[in-house]
Amino acid sequence: MKEENHFNVIIIGAGASGLMCAQAAGKRGRNVLVLEHSKEAGAKILVSGGGKCNFTNLGVDKENYISGNPHFVTSALRRFTQHDFISLLEEHDVKYEEREHGQLFCRGSAKAVVNLLLKECDTAGVKIRTGCSVKKVEKEKDFRVKTNSGDFTSESLVIAAGGLSLPESGATALGYKVAIQFGIKVIKQLPGLVPLVLKEGKDFKSLSGISVNASVSVNGCSFRDAVLFTHRGLSGPAILQASNYWHNGDEIMINLLPDIDLEERLALWQREKPRATVKNLLATLLPKRLVAYLSAGLDMERPVSQYGKKDMKKIAEIFNAWSVRPHETEGYRKAEVTRGGIDTNELSSRTFESKKVQRLYFIGEVLDVTGWLGGYNLQWAWSSGYCAGQYI
Ligand SMILES: Cc1cc2nc3c(=O)[nH]c(=O)nc-3n(C[C@H](O)[C@H](O)[C@H](O)COP(=O)(O)OP(=O)(O)OC[C@H]3O[C@@H](n4cnc5c(N)ncnc54)[C@H](O)[C@@H]3O)c2cc1C
C-alpha cells in the first residue's frame, strides 16, 4: 500500500454526518480521507428543506427521535447541540430564519451549509474524493476499503453512508451491508417521513390539492399540522410525522376539526341556525369538496334542527375522528428518511464505536435513529458526526 493511500481515518459518505465528523477529526490532527461516490458532496443537504435546508430546530430533545433504544441519542445531542451548529453558521455568516415549530432554515440556498462544511474540512486538512464508490470493506490489522478507484487503508473506519431514501441522491445500502458483514445487528429498514397511499375509490382524486390543519394520530402519537390530499392519498407535515410511527395494517385517525367538538357545535347550530343544512354548515368550517366526499352515503342535506343526538354523534365522529387505513407508503423515492438501521445497542453512545469491532464507527441516518420532521435528522447527523470525530 502506497503511503499516500493510508490514513488514520477513512469516512465513507460525504453527507451531513460524514463531513461534520471529518472536520472534527481533522482539527484534532488526524489524517482523514472521505470517500463519496456521488460527483458532489452533500447531495441531500442541497435538497433538504426544499433547497433552504431546515438545518436544526430550537427545541431538540430525545423525544423527537425514534429508536429501539430511546436514550441512545441523549449524550450526543447534549455534547453537540443545535446552538453549537447555529454558532458555526454564524461564524461563517450564513443567514437563517426561524419558521413555525422552532424550525431553522437558511435564508438563501442550502449550498451555504455544504460550502461551510467543505471549508471547515479544507481548513482541517481533510481529503475528500468524490466519484469514488466503495465496493467492499475488509479488516486485517487495519481496514482496507476497496473502491472503483483503488484500495485505501486506515486505522479507523467511519460508516456515514446514510439511509435508502431518495435513491437519485446517491443512497445505497452499503452501511447496512458492512454492519451485517461484521455480525452487527441491523433493524429492518422502512421509509420514514413519507406520504401515505390510500385505496379509496376514484372520487378520492377529487380531493387532490386540498390542505387542512388537522390532528393526526397513530399508535398513540399525535401531530397537529397541515394534511395535504394528493391524488394517491395523504401527505403534508402532519402525515409525514405520523408515517414514522405507522406500520402496514395500522389505522390512522384524523381529527379534521381539532379545535371544535363537532357534537357540541351541531347542538349550538340547532339553537342558532336551525334551518341551515348540516352540509352547508360544515362547509363553513372545511373545504366543500372534502365535506361532500365525507358526507357521501350520509344524510346531511336536511336542516340541522331535524337531527337527533345519535345522528349528530355519528356525523361528529366522521369529522372529529376520521379513520383511514393506508394501503402503503410512497416508498423511498418520496421518503425523507429511513427508519431502522444499525441497532444502537451495538454501539457506544459516546464514541459511536462498534462494541464488537474495534475502531469501526457508524454515524448519522444509517443508525436506527429517526428524527421527526423539522430539522431533527440533520441535527442528529451534526451531533453524531461531531461526537465520533472526537474519538476516531
Ligand atoms: C428530500 C429530502 C429533504 C430533507 N430535508 C431535511 C430537512 O430539511 N431537515 C432535516 O433535518 N433533514 C432533512 N432530510 C433528511 C436529512 O437530509 C438526512 O437525514 C441527512 O442528510 C442524513 O445525513 P447522513 O450523513 O447520515 O447521510 P447522507 O447525507 O445521505 O450521506 C450519505 C452519503 O454516503 C454516500 N454513499 C452511500 N453509499 C456509498 C458508497 N457505496 N460509496 C461511497 N459513498 C457512498 C452517499 O452518496 C451520500 O452522500 C431530508 C431528506 C430528503 C431526502
PDB file of all heavy atoms in Angstrom, residues 216-252:
ATOM      1  N   VAL A 216     -53.392  14.381  13.543  1.00  0.00           N
ATOM      2  CA  VAL A 216     -53.294  13.014  13.024  1.00  0.00           C
ATOM      3  C   VAL A 216     -52.710  12.121  14.112  1.00  0.00           C
ATOM      4  O   VAL A 216     -51.654  12.436  14.669  1.00  0.00           O
ATOM      5  CB  VAL A 216     -52.384  12.981  11.768  1.00  0.00           C
ATOM      6  CG1 VAL A 216     -52.254  11.563  11.235  1.00  0.00           C
ATOM      7  CG2 VAL A 216     -52.932  13.909  10.690  1.00  0.00           C
ATOM      8  N   SER A 217     -53.393  11.023  14.412  1.00  0.00           N
ATOM      9  CA  SER A 217     -52.917  10.128  15.478  1.00  0.00           C
ATOM     10  C   SER A 217     -52.697   8.723  14.945  1.00  0.00           C
ATOM     11  O   SER A 217     -53.496   8.228  14.152  1.00  0.00           O
ATOM     12  CB  SER A 217     -53.949  10.025  16.608  1.00  0.00           C
ATOM     13  OG  SER A 217     -54.301  11.309  17.051  1.00  0.00           O
ATOM     14  N   VAL A 218     -51.602   8.130  15.391  1.00  0.00           N
ATOM     15  CA  VAL A 218     -51.323   6.736  15.040  1.00  0.00           C
ATOM     16  C   VAL A 218     -50.489   6.121  16.156  1.00  0.00           C
ATOM     17  O   VAL A 218     -49.566   6.753  16.670  1.00  0.00           O
ATOM     18  CB  VAL A 218     -50.606   6.637  13.665  1.00  0.00           C
ATOM     19  CG1 VAL A 218     -49.269   7.335  13.663  1.00  0.00           C
ATOM     20  CG2 VAL A 218     -50.443   5.198  13.213  1.00  0.00           C
ATOM     21  N   ASN A 219     -50.880   4.928  16.546  1.00  0.00           N
ATOM     22  CA  ASN A 219     -50.131   4.201  17.585  1.00  0.00           C
ATOM     23  C   ASN A 219     -49.769   5.062  18.804  1.00  0.00           C
ATOM     24  O   ASN A 219     -48.626   5.045  19.287  1.00  0.00           O
ATOM     25  CB  ASN A 219     -48.855   3.601  16.976  1.00  0.00           C
ATOM     26  CG  ASN A 219     -49.199   2.458  16.042  1.00  0.00           C
ATOM     27  OD1 ASN A 219     -50.109   1.672  16.310  1.00  0.00           O
ATOM     28  ND2 ASN A 219     -48.516   2.366  14.923  1.00  0.00           N
ATOM     29  N   GLY A 220     -50.720   5.860  19.251  1.00  0.00           N
ATOM     30  CA  GLY A 220     -50.531   6.632  20.483  1.00  0.00           C
ATOM     31  C   GLY A 220     -49.794   7.951  20.297  1.00  0.00           C
ATOM     32  O   GLY A 220     -49.548   8.663  21.274  1.00  0.00           O
ATOM     33  N   CYS A 221     -49.385   8.299  19.071  1.00  0.00           N
ATOM     34  CA  CYS A 221     -48.709   9.586  18.841  1.00  0.00           C
ATOM     35  C   CYS A 221     -49.600  10.484  18.007  1.00  0.00           C
ATOM     36  O   CYS A 221     -50.250  10.017  17.080  1.00  0.00           O
ATOM     37  CB  CYS A 221     -47.412   9.389  18.080  1.00  0.00           C
ATOM     38  SG  CYS A 221     -46.256   8.423  18.994  1.00  0.00           S
ATOM     39  N   SER A 222     -49.614  11.773  18.344  1.00  0.00           N
ATOM     40  CA  SER A 222     -50.459  12.721  17.601  1.00  0.00           C
ATOM     41  C   SER A 222     -49.633  13.884  17.112  1.00  0.00           C
ATOM     42  O   SER A 222     -48.730  14.359  17.820  1.00  0.00           O
ATOM     43  CB  SER A 222     -51.540  13.292  18.521  1.00  0.00           C
ATOM     44  OG  SER A 222     -52.475  12.293  18.791  1.00  0.00           O
ATOM     45  N   PHE A 223     -49.946  14.344  15.918  1.00  0.00           N
ATOM     46  CA  PHE A 223     -49.273  15.521  15.350  1.00  0.00           C
ATOM     47  C   PHE A 223     -50.311  16.472  14.799  1.00  0.00           C
ATOM     48  O   PHE A 223     -51.206  16.054  14.070  1.00  0.00           O
ATOM     49  CB  PHE A 223     -48.303  15.106  14.238  1.00  0.00           C
ATOM     50  CG  PHE A 223     -47.160  14.274  14.742  1.00  0.00           C
ATOM     51  CD1 PHE A 223     -47.232  12.885  14.725  1.00  0.00           C
ATOM     52  CD2 PHE A 223     -46.040  14.876  15.277  1.00  0.00           C
ATOM     53  CE1 PHE A 223     -46.196  12.116  15.224  1.00  0.00           C
ATOM     54  CE2 PHE A 223     -44.994  14.115  15.779  1.00  0.00           C
ATOM     55  CZ  PHE A 223     -45.067  12.739  15.744  1.00  0.00           C
ATOM     56  N   ARG A 224     -50.180  17.731  15.165  1.00  0.00           N
ATOM     57  CA  ARG A 224     -51.096  18.768  14.694  1.00  0.00           C
ATOM     58  C   ARG A 224     -50.366  19.622  13.672  1.00  0.00           C
ATOM     59  O   ARG A 224     -49.379  20.287  13.987  1.00  0.00           O
ATOM     60  CB  ARG A 224     -51.506  19.616  15.902  1.00  0.00           C
ATOM     61  CG  ARG A 224     -52.283  20.871  15.575  1.00  0.00           C
ATOM     62  CD  ARG A 224     -53.762  20.564  15.519  1.00  0.00           C
ATOM     63  NE  ARG A 224     -54.483  21.730  15.052  1.00  0.00           N
ATOM     64  CZ  ARG A 224     -55.137  22.568  15.834  1.00  0.00           C
ATOM     65  NH1 ARG A 224     -55.188  22.355  17.137  1.00  0.00           N
ATOM     66  NH2 ARG A 224     -55.771  23.607  15.321  1.00  0.00           N
ATOM     67  N   ASP A 225     -50.829  19.581  12.418  1.00  0.00           N
ATOM     68  CA  ASP A 225     -50.189  20.369  11.356  1.00  0.00           C
ATOM     69  C   ASP A 225     -51.040  20.211  10.101  1.00  0.00           C
ATOM     70  O   ASP A 225     -52.142  19.654  10.160  1.00  0.00           O
ATOM     71  CB  ASP A 225     -48.749  19.865  11.109  1.00  0.00           C
ATOM     72  CG  ASP A 225     -47.819  21.004  10.683  1.00  0.00           C
ATOM     73  OD1 ASP A 225     -48.263  21.825   9.873  1.00  0.00           O
ATOM     74  OD2 ASP A 225     -46.688  21.059  11.170  1.00  0.00           O
ATOM     75  N   ALA A 226     -50.493  20.641   8.959  1.00  0.00           N
ATOM     76  CA  ALA A 226     -51.268  20.545   7.716  1.00  0.00           C
ATOM     77  C   ALA A 226     -51.334  19.100   7.220  1.00  0.00           C
ATOM     78  O   ALA A 226     -50.371  18.344   7.327  1.00  0.00           O
ATOM     79  CB  ALA A 226     -50.628  21.421   6.649  1.00  0.00           C
ATOM     80  N   VAL A 227     -52.509  18.735   6.705  1.00  0.00           N
ATOM     81  CA  VAL A 227     -52.695  17.466   5.984  1.00  0.00           C
ATOM     82  C   VAL A 227     -53.036  17.844   4.550  1.00  0.00           C
ATOM     83  O   VAL A 227     -53.930  18.649   4.310  1.00  0.00           O
ATOM     84  CB  VAL A 227     -53.851  16.629   6.584  1.00  0.00           C
ATOM     85  CG1 VAL A 227     -54.203  15.462   5.679  1.00  0.00           C
ATOM     86  CG2 VAL A 227     -53.485  16.130   7.970  1.00  0.00           C
ATOM     87  N   LEU A 228     -52.282  17.268   3.620  1.00  0.00           N
ATOM     88  CA  LEU A 228     -52.497  17.580   2.209  1.00  0.00           C
ATOM     89  C   LEU A 228     -53.063  16.347   1.513  1.00  0.00           C
ATOM     90  O   LEU A 228     -52.536  15.240   1.665  1.00  0.00           O
ATOM     91  CB  LEU A 228     -51.146  17.969   1.584  1.00  0.00           C
ATOM     92  CG  LEU A 228     -51.143  18.246   0.100  1.00  0.00           C
ATOM     93  CD1 LEU A 228     -51.908  19.531  -0.202  1.00  0.00           C
ATOM     94  CD2 LEU A 228     -49.700  18.377  -0.416  1.00  0.00           C
ATOM     95  N   PHE A 229     -54.151  16.548   0.767  1.00  0.00           N
ATOM     96  CA  PHE A 229     -54.730  15.439  -0.001  1.00  0.00           C
ATOM     97  C   PHE A 229     -54.030  15.400  -1.361  1.00  0.00           C
ATOM     98  O   PHE A 229     -53.942  16.419  -2.034  1.00  0.00           O
ATOM     99  CB  PHE A 229     -56.241  15.639  -0.178  1.00  0.00           C
ATOM    100  CG  PHE A 229     -56.993  15.459   1.114  1.00  0.00           C
ATOM    101  CD1 PHE A 229     -57.002  16.471   2.075  1.00  0.00           C
ATOM    102  CD2 PHE A 229     -57.667  14.283   1.387  1.00  0.00           C
ATOM    103  CE1 PHE A 229     -57.667  16.302   3.277  1.00  0.00           C
ATOM    104  CE2 PHE A 229     -58.337  14.106   2.586  1.00  0.00           C
ATOM    105  CZ  PHE A 229     -58.340  15.123   3.539  1.00  0.00           C
ATOM    106  N   THR A 230     -53.531  14.223  -1.728  1.00  0.00           N
ATOM    107  CA  THR A 230     -52.885  14.063  -3.036  1.00  0.00           C
ATOM    108  C   THR A 230     -53.782  13.158  -3.883  1.00  0.00           C
ATOM    109  O   THR A 230     -54.751  12.604  -3.366  1.00  0.00           O
ATOM    110  CB  THR A 230     -51.504  13.398  -2.893  1.00  0.00           C
ATOM    111  OG1 THR A 230     -51.701  12.038  -2.509  1.00  0.00           O
ATOM    112  CG2 THR A 230     -50.648  14.104  -1.866  1.00  0.00           C
ATOM    113  N   HIS A 231     -53.423  12.962  -5.155  1.00  0.00           N
ATOM    114  CA  HIS A 231     -54.304  12.100  -5.954  1.00  0.00           C
ATOM    115  C   HIS A 231     -54.169  10.634  -5.556  1.00  0.00           C
ATOM    116  O   HIS A 231     -55.001   9.817  -5.902  1.00  0.00           O
ATOM    117  CB  HIS A 231     -54.079  12.319  -7.460  1.00  0.00           C
ATOM    118  CG  HIS A 231     -52.728  11.888  -7.920  1.00  0.00           C
ATOM    119  ND1 HIS A 231     -51.591  12.567  -7.564  1.00  0.00           N
ATOM    120  CD2 HIS A 231     -52.331  10.857  -8.687  1.00  0.00           C
ATOM    121  CE1 HIS A 231     -50.554  11.950  -8.097  1.00  0.00           C
ATOM    122  NE2 HIS A 231     -50.968  10.914  -8.781  1.00  0.00           N
ATOM    123  N   ARG A 232     -53.117  10.301  -4.783  1.00  0.00           N
ATOM    124  CA  ARG A 232     -52.958   8.894  -4.362  1.00  0.00           C
ATOM    125  C   ARG A 232     -53.219   8.677  -2.875  1.00  0.00           C
ATOM    126  O   ARG A 232     -53.275   7.545  -2.404  1.00  0.00           O
ATOM    127  CB  ARG A 232     -51.530   8.436  -4.673  1.00  0.00           C
ATOM    128  CG  ARG A 232     -51.392   7.942  -6.107  1.00  0.00           C
ATOM    129  CD  ARG A 232     -49.949   7.750  -6.504  1.00  0.00           C
ATOM    130  NE  ARG A 232     -49.175   6.869  -5.645  1.00  0.00           N
ATOM    131  CZ  ARG A 232     -49.154   5.538  -5.747  1.00  0.00           C
ATOM    132  NH1 ARG A 232     -49.878   4.935  -6.659  1.00  0.00           N
ATOM    133  NH2 ARG A 232     -48.395   4.822  -4.948  1.00  0.00           N
ATOM    134  N   GLY A 233     -53.314   9.755  -2.120  1.00  0.00           N
ATOM    135  CA  GLY A 233     -53.509   9.555  -0.685  1.00  0.00           C
ATOM    136  C   GLY A 233     -53.294  10.820   0.109  1.00  0.00           C
ATOM    137  O   GLY A 233     -53.819  11.876  -0.225  1.00  0.00           O
ATOM    138  N   LEU A 234     -52.454  10.719   1.161  1.00  0.00           N
ATOM    139  CA  LEU A 234     -52.301  11.831   2.090  1.00  0.00           C
ATOM    140  C   LEU A 234     -50.834  12.201   2.264  1.00  0.00           C
ATOM    141  O   LEU A 234     -49.964  11.331   2.324  1.00  0.00           O
ATOM    142  CB  LEU A 234     -52.871  11.432   3.454  1.00  0.00           C
ATOM    143  CG  LEU A 234     -54.366  11.097   3.473  1.00  0.00           C
ATOM    144  CD1 LEU A 234     -54.740  10.471   4.812  1.00  0.00           C
ATOM    145  CD2 LEU A 234     -55.201  12.333   3.207  1.00  0.00           C
ATOM    146  N   SER A 235     -50.597  13.499   2.346  1.00  0.00           N
ATOM    147  CA  SER A 235     -49.241  13.983   2.593  1.00  0.00           C
ATOM    148  C   SER A 235     -49.341  15.209   3.515  1.00  0.00           C
ATOM    149  O   SER A 235     -50.328  15.365   4.230  1.00  0.00           O
ATOM    150  CB  SER A 235     -48.570  14.315   1.260  1.00  0.00           C
ATOM    151  OG  SER A 235     -47.218  14.635   1.465  1.00  0.00           O
ATOM    152  N   GLY A 236     -48.329  16.066   3.484  1.00  0.00           N
ATOM    153  CA  GLY A 236     -48.321  17.232   4.378  1.00  0.00           C
ATOM    154  C   GLY A 236     -47.610  16.874   5.668  1.00  0.00           C
ATOM    155  O   GLY A 236     -47.496  15.695   6.027  1.00  0.00           O
ATOM    156  N   PRO A 237     -47.134  17.902   6.403  1.00  0.00           N
ATOM    157  CA  PRO A 237     -46.306  17.652   7.589  1.00  0.00           C
ATOM    158  C   PRO A 237     -46.931  16.718   8.628  1.00  0.00           C
ATOM    159  O   PRO A 237     -46.225  15.855   9.168  1.00  0.00           O
ATOM    160  CB  PRO A 237     -46.089  19.048   8.184  1.00  0.00           C
ATOM    161  CG  PRO A 237     -46.514  20.023   7.161  1.00  0.00           C
ATOM    162  CD  PRO A 237     -47.281  19.331   6.091  1.00  0.00           C
ATOM    163  N   ALA A 238     -48.227  16.852   8.889  1.00  0.00           N
ATOM    164  CA  ALA A 238     -48.819  16.007   9.946  1.00  0.00           C
ATOM    165  C   ALA A 238     -48.785  14.532   9.532  1.00  0.00           C
ATOM    166  O   ALA A 238     -48.555  13.640  10.363  1.00  0.00           O
ATOM    167  CB  ALA A 238     -50.253  16.439  10.237  1.00  0.00           C
ATOM    168  N   ILE A 239     -48.993  14.268   8.245  1.00  0.00           N
ATOM    169  CA  ILE A 239     -48.969  12.881   7.759  1.00  0.00           C
ATOM    170  C   ILE A 239     -47.535  12.355   7.725  1.00  0.00           C
ATOM    171  O   ILE A 239     -47.266  11.211   8.138  1.00  0.00           O
ATOM    172  CB  ILE A 239     -49.611  12.807   6.343  1.00  0.00           C
ATOM    173  CG1 ILE A 239     -51.103  13.142   6.426  1.00  0.00           C
ATOM    174  CG2 ILE A 239     -49.374  11.443   5.692  1.00  0.00           C
ATOM    175  CD1 ILE A 239     -51.957  12.133   7.159  1.00  0.00           C
ATOM    176  N   LEU A 240     -46.596  13.184   7.282  1.00  0.00           N
ATOM    177  CA  LEU A 240     -45.196  12.736   7.247  1.00  0.00           C
ATOM    178  C   LEU A 240     -44.735  12.355   8.656  1.00  0.00           C
ATOM    179  O   LEU A 240     -44.097  11.324   8.862  1.00  0.00           O
ATOM    180  CB  LEU A 240     -44.285  13.826   6.671  1.00  0.00           C
ATOM    181  CG  LEU A 240     -44.566  14.269   5.230  1.00  0.00           C
ATOM    182  CD1 LEU A 240     -43.487  15.240   4.751  1.00  0.00           C
ATOM    183  CD2 LEU A 240     -44.643  13.100   4.267  1.00  0.00           C
ATOM    184  N   GLN A 241     -45.088  13.199   9.626  1.00  0.00           N
ATOM    185  CA  GLN A 241     -44.712  12.891  11.021  1.00  0.00           C
ATOM    186  C   GLN A 241     -45.325  11.553  11.456  1.00  0.00           C
ATOM    187  O   GLN A 241     -44.634  10.700  12.016  1.00  0.00           O
ATOM    188  CB  GLN A 241     -45.224  13.977  11.985  1.00  0.00           C
ATOM    189  CG  GLN A 241     -44.695  15.374  11.749  1.00  0.00           C
ATOM    190  CD  GLN A 241     -43.299  15.596  12.322  1.00  0.00           C
ATOM    191  OE1 GLN A 241     -42.491  14.684  12.389  1.00  0.00           O
ATOM    192  NE2 GLN A 241     -43.002  16.820  12.699  1.00  0.00           N
ATOM    193  N   ALA A 242     -46.624  11.389  11.158  1.00  0.00           N
ATOM    194  CA  ALA A 242     -47.311  10.163  11.583  1.00  0.00           C
ATOM    195  C   ALA A 242     -46.729   8.936  10.883  1.00  0.00           C
ATOM    196  O   ALA A 242     -46.696   7.839  11.452  1.00  0.00           O
ATOM    197  CB  ALA A 242     -48.807  10.286  11.298  1.00  0.00           C
ATOM    198  N   SER A 243     -46.230   9.134   9.646  1.00  0.00           N
ATOM    199  CA  SER A 243     -45.719   7.984   8.880  1.00  0.00           C
ATOM    200  C   SER A 243     -44.548   7.304   9.598  1.00  0.00           C
ATOM    201  O   SER A 243     -44.298   6.120   9.402  1.00  0.00           O
ATOM    202  CB  SER A 243     -45.296   8.420   7.473  1.00  0.00           C
ATOM    203  OG  SER A 243     -44.071   9.145   7.518  1.00  0.00           O
ATOM    204  N   ASN A 244     -43.819   8.072  10.432  1.00  0.00           N
ATOM    205  CA  ASN A 244     -42.695   7.482  11.173  1.00  0.00           C
ATOM    206  C   ASN A 244     -43.161   6.440  12.190  1.00  0.00           C
ATOM    207  O   ASN A 244     -42.371   5.627  12.653  1.00  0.00           O
ATOM    208  CB  ASN A 244     -41.938   8.575  11.942  1.00  0.00           C
ATOM    209  CG  ASN A 244     -40.844   9.207  11.120  1.00  0.00           C
ATOM    210  OD1 ASN A 244     -40.538   8.734  10.032  1.00  0.00           O
ATOM    211  ND2 ASN A 244     -40.255  10.276  11.636  1.00  0.00           N
ATOM    212  N   TYR A 245     -44.441   6.521  12.555  1.00  0.00           N
ATOM    213  CA  TYR A 245     -44.977   5.608  13.586  1.00  0.00           C
ATOM    214  C   TYR A 245     -45.928   4.585  12.980  1.00  0.00           C
ATOM    215  O   TYR A 245     -46.510   3.788  13.687  1.00  0.00           O
ATOM    216  CB  TYR A 245     -45.724   6.423  14.661  1.00  0.00           C
ATOM    217  CG  TYR A 245     -44.808   7.324  15.449  1.00  0.00           C
ATOM    218  CD1 TYR A 245     -44.493   8.601  15.009  1.00  0.00           C
ATOM    219  CD2 TYR A 245     -44.218   6.877  16.635  1.00  0.00           C
ATOM    220  CE1 TYR A 245     -43.638   9.427  15.712  1.00  0.00           C
ATOM    221  CE2 TYR A 245     -43.357   7.686  17.345  1.00  0.00           C
ATOM    222  CZ  TYR A 245     -43.061   8.956  16.886  1.00  0.00           C
ATOM    223  OH  TYR A 245     -42.207   9.771  17.589  1.00  0.00           O
ATOM    224  N   TRP A 246     -46.127   4.655  11.664  1.00  0.00           N
ATOM    225  CA  TRP A 246     -47.119   3.806  11.006  1.00  0.00           C
ATOM    226  C   TRP A 246     -46.494   2.499  10.502  1.00  0.00           C
ATOM    227  O   TRP A 246     -45.391   2.501   9.961  1.00  0.00           O
ATOM    228  CB  TRP A 246     -47.745   4.569   9.826  1.00  0.00           C
ATOM    229  CG  TRP A 246     -48.806   3.779   9.118  1.00  0.00           C
ATOM    230  CD1 TRP A 246     -50.109   3.635   9.499  1.00  0.00           C
ATOM    231  CD2 TRP A 246     -48.660   3.020   7.906  1.00  0.00           C
ATOM    232  NE1 TRP A 246     -50.782   2.833   8.592  1.00  0.00           N
ATOM    233  CE2 TRP A 246     -49.907   2.438   7.612  1.00  0.00           C
ATOM    234  CE3 TRP A 246     -47.581   2.765   7.046  1.00  0.00           C
ATOM    235  CZ2 TRP A 246     -50.132   1.623   6.503  1.00  0.00           C
ATOM    236  CZ3 TRP A 246     -47.792   1.954   5.941  1.00  0.00           C
ATOM    237  CH2 TRP A 246     -49.056   1.393   5.673  1.00  0.00           C
ATOM    238  N   HIS A 247     -47.221   1.397  10.694  1.00  0.00           N
ATOM    239  CA  HIS A 247     -46.805   0.111  10.127  1.00  0.00           C
ATOM    240  C   HIS A 247     -47.946  -0.431   9.288  1.00  0.00           C
ATOM    241  O   HIS A 247     -49.119  -0.122   9.553  1.00  0.00           O
ATOM    242  CB  HIS A 247     -46.465  -0.888  11.241  1.00  0.00           C
ATOM    243  CG  HIS A 247     -45.247  -0.493  11.993  1.00  0.00           C
ATOM    244  ND1 HIS A 247     -45.300   0.286  13.126  1.00  0.00           N
ATOM    245  CD2 HIS A 247     -43.930  -0.726  11.753  1.00  0.00           C
ATOM    246  CE1 HIS A 247     -44.072   0.504  13.554  1.00  0.00           C
ATOM    247  NE2 HIS A 247     -43.224  -0.087  12.740  1.00  0.00           N
ATOM    248  N   ASN A 248     -47.604  -1.252   8.318  1.00  0.00           N
ATOM    249  CA  ASN A 248     -48.619  -1.844   7.443  1.00  0.00           C
ATOM    250  C   ASN A 248     -49.795  -2.390   8.226  1.00  0.00           C
ATOM    251  O   ASN A 248     -49.604  -3.127   9.186  1.00  0.00           O
ATOM    252  CB  ASN A 248     -48.002  -3.013   6.666  1.00  0.00           C
ATOM    253  CG  ASN A 248     -47.793  -2.624   5.234  1.00  0.00           C
ATOM    254  OD1 ASN A 248     -48.556  -1.806   4.707  1.00  0.00           O
ATOM    255  ND2 ASN A 248     -46.781  -3.181   4.607  1.00  0.00           N
ATOM    256  N   GLY A 249     -50.988  -1.999   7.848  1.00  0.00           N
ATOM    257  CA  GLY A 249     -52.189  -2.524   8.514  1.00  0.00           C
ATOM    258  C   GLY A 249     -52.714  -1.594   9.587  1.00  0.00           C
ATOM    259  O   GLY A 249     -53.879  -1.722  10.003  1.00  0.00           O
ATOM    260  N   ASP A 250     -51.898  -0.643  10.065  1.00  0.00           N
ATOM    261  CA  ASP A 250     -52.351   0.274  11.120  1.00  0.00           C
ATOM    262  C   ASP A 250     -53.376   1.270  10.578  1.00  0.00           C
ATOM    263  O   ASP A 250     -53.268   1.711   9.433  1.00  0.00           O
ATOM    264  CB  ASP A 250     -51.178   1.100  11.678  1.00  0.00           C
ATOM    265  CG  ASP A 250     -50.226   0.268  12.502  1.00  0.00           C
ATOM    266  OD1 ASP A 250     -50.624  -0.824  12.927  1.00  0.00           O
ATOM    267  OD2 ASP A 250     -49.082   0.722  12.710  1.00  0.00           O
ATOM    268  N   GLU A 251     -54.291   1.635  11.464  1.00  0.00           N
ATOM    269  CA  GLU A 251     -55.249   2.687  11.135  1.00  0.00           C
ATOM    270  C   GLU A 251     -54.677   4.028  11.582  1.00  0.00           C
ATOM    271  O   GLU A 251     -53.984   4.081  12.598  1.00  0.00           O
ATOM    272  CB  GLU A 251     -56.512   2.459  11.967  1.00  0.00           C
ATOM    273  CG  GLU A 251     -57.717   2.216  11.118  1.00  0.00           C
ATOM    274  CD  GLU A 251     -58.924   1.862  11.963  1.00  0.00           C
ATOM    275  OE1 GLU A 251     -59.061   2.340  13.098  1.00  0.00           O
ATOM    276  OE2 GLU A 251     -59.738   1.083  11.447  1.00  0.00           O
ATOM    277  N   ILE A 252     -54.984   5.101  10.860  1.00  0.00           N
ATOM    278  CA  ILE A 252     -54.662   6.412  11.413  1.00  0.00           C
ATOM    279  C   ILE A 252     -55.962   7.178  11.628  1.00  0.00           C
ATOM    280  O   ILE A 252     -56.931   6.987  10.905  1.00  0.00           O
ATOM    281  CB  ILE A 252     -53.653   7.227  10.573  1.00  0.00           C
ATOM    282  CG1 ILE A 252     -54.187   7.532   9.190  1.00  0.00           C
ATOM    283  CG2 ILE A 252     -52.321   6.548  10.478  1.00  0.00           C
ATOM    284  CD1 ILE A 252     -53.258   8.471   8.442  1.00  0.00           C
TER     285      ILE A 252
END
